[in-house]
């Protein structure tokens, strides 16, 4: 099992800056961006407790994994199927991800929940399968704009966490990270306030502890950018970020790395 953290009560977590490249780049462009990231990293040593993770498209994983081998960067998938093999046309298993060089996977991103109607039961199976098959798992949760307006944010978070972590042992929670991503802030340029983020993150940590007796890092995602990152990444309840748009250029990604370092 790839444990991403120690999950104990007493420790503060490292900082994770996870680049989600979505379907934005060709394989060639992905390699170019990885090369630029390696170049930036060579000029700025990254301490052990700051984790730089990249989730390119499935197709680019093998090339990027080879490119970053021996560096502090880790490569992961943006999705997986919970079964190991079988008649699942178009899907990718945890073992296939690992064969390609992935060490983590993103599960339950709001784009998958809305575009392909991924439901809570499938997300729960994906989380369990990722972890039991040795991948660190970043579970994405978050409320829609309507849910926030209706005052349902904390209830939505509780329900999404409860169904996703059902059946995880405290030891398995050591491979879990949660990304709080308000749906209305993803790719919109609109960012949650520090009060909204602190409230959501504290609630998420409390719910995970209640349900599993363990803790996991909670990352923020949703229009995280060099301009807002210093304030957000400095919040004690924020253990890093899941980054879409701002991860597509090495310069802006490394500004987030610097903000992450300053916030540690
Ligand atoms: C995301 O896709 O997870 C995300 C947070 O995107 P963006 O940073 O572009 O809002």
């Amino acid at each position: 099992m790839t444990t991403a953290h120690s999950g104990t009560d007493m420790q503060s977590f490292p900082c994770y800056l996870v680049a989600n490249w979505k379907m934005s780049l060709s394989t060639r462009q992905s390699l170019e961006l990885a090369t630029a990231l390696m170049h930036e990293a060579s000029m700025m040593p990254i301490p052990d407790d700051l984790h730089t993770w990249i989730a390119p498209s499935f197709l680019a994983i093998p090339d990027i994994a080879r490119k970053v081998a021996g560096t502090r960067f880790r490569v992961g998938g943006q999705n997986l199927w919970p079964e190991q093999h079988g008649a699942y046309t178009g899907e990718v298993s945890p073992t296939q991800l690992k064969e390609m060089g992935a060490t983590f996977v993103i599960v339950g991103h709001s784009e998958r929940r809305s575009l392909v109607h991924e439901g809570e039961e499938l997300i729960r199976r994906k989380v369990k399968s990722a972890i039991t098959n040795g991948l660190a798992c970043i579970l994405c949760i978050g409320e829609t704009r309507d849910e926030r307006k209706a005052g349902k944010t904390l209830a939505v978070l509780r329900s999404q966490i409860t169904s996703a972590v059902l059946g995880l042992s405290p030891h398995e929670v050591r491979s879990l990270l949660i990304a709080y991503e308000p749906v209305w802030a993803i790719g919109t340029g609109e960012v949650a306030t520090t009060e909204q983020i602190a409230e959501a993150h504290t609630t998420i940590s409390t719910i995970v502890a209640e349900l599993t007796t363990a803790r996991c890092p909670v990352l923020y995602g949703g229009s995280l950018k060099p301009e807002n990152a210093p304030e957000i990444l400095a919040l004690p309840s924020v253990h890093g970020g899941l980054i879409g748009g701002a991860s597509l250029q090495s310069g802006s990604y490394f500004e987030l790395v610097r903000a992450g370092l300053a916030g540690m």
Side-chain angles (χ1 to χ4, degrees):
M1 183 184 298
T2 304
T3 53
H5 55 88
S6 64
T8 60
D9 269 347
M10 299 306 292
Q11 109 282 4
S12 62
F13 292 111
C15 178
Y16 300 83
L17 293 169
V18 184
N20 177 11
W21 292 351
K22 310 195 186 190
M23 203 178 69
S24 303
L25 304 173
S26 68
T27 302
R28 183 180 54 76
Q29 290 168 327
S30 301
L31 257 176
E32 284 169 3
L33 179 51
T35 305
L37 289 172
M38 300 300 99
H39 178 67
E40 291 265 0
S42 70
M43 298 188 295
M44 185 193 145
I46 301 171
D48 285 353
D49 49 0
L50 194 144
H51 295 281
T52 46
W53 293 7
I54 307 170
S57 85
F58 285 139
L59 298 176
I61 292 176
D63 284 346
I64 307 270
R66 273 190 292 276
K67 179 105 219 158
V68 304
T71 75
R72 298 287 327 285
F73 283 86
R74 277 167 63 170
V75 184
Q78 300 172 12
N79 180 35
L80 88 170
W81 188 250
E83 303 298 330
Q84 281 294 10
H85 48 78
Y88 303 104
T89 303
E91 297 294 343
V92 174
S93 77
T95 309
Q96 289 170 328
L97 270 178
K98 288 198 318 188
E99 266 172 7
M100 288 192 280
T103 61
F104 74 92
V105 65
I106 297 170
V107 168
H109 192 281
S110 71
E111 283 151 16
R112 297 202 57 81
R113 291 179 192 254
S114 64
L115 296 172
V116 296
H117 308 294
E118 255 183 39
E120 299 298 349
E121 169 60 12
L122 180 57
I123 289 169
R124 184 191 64 72
R125 287 173 53 214
K126 288 185 177 195
V127 169
K128 183 80 177 173
S129 172
I131 293 176
T132 54
N133 285 296
L135 293 162
C137 177
I138 303 173
L139 166 70
C140 299
I141 59 171
E143 80 287 359
T144 62
R145 189 184 299 280
D146 285 350
E147 287 164 342
R148 178 161 283 276
K149 277 195 189 146
K152 293 185 182 154
T153 298
L154 302 184
V156 167
L157 299 180
R158 176 172 286 278
S159 148
Q160 290 175 335
I161 298 167
T162 305
S163 54
V165 307
L166 199 74
L168 287 190
S169 68
H171 183 67
E172 287 171 333
V173 175
R174 291 169 66 172
S175 299
L176 180 72
L177 302 92
I178 293 184
Y180 168 58
E181 300 209 300
V183 178
W184 47 271
I186 297 178
T188 59
E190 197 177 343
V191 67
T193 65
T194 47
E195 290 75 22
Q196 289 169 330
I197 296 171
E199 181 188 45
H201 281 230
T202 308
T203 304
I204 290 166
S205 292
T206 306
I207 296 169
V208 171
E210 255 172 50
L211 294 171
T212 69
T213 72
R215 292 181 67 230
C216 71
V218 186
L219 319 186
Y220 171 77
S223 299
L224 195 59
K225 292 188 171 48
E227 307 86 70
N228 55 38
E231 202 183 15
I232 294 173
L233 296 177
L235 293 171
S237 57
V238 174
H239 311 115
L242 180 55
I243 310 138
S247 72
L248 293 173
Q249 294 192 336
S250 60
S252 52
Y253 178 79
F254 264 86
E255 283 194 50
L256 300 188
V257 171
R258 279 184 272 277
L261 279 174
M264 286 169 74

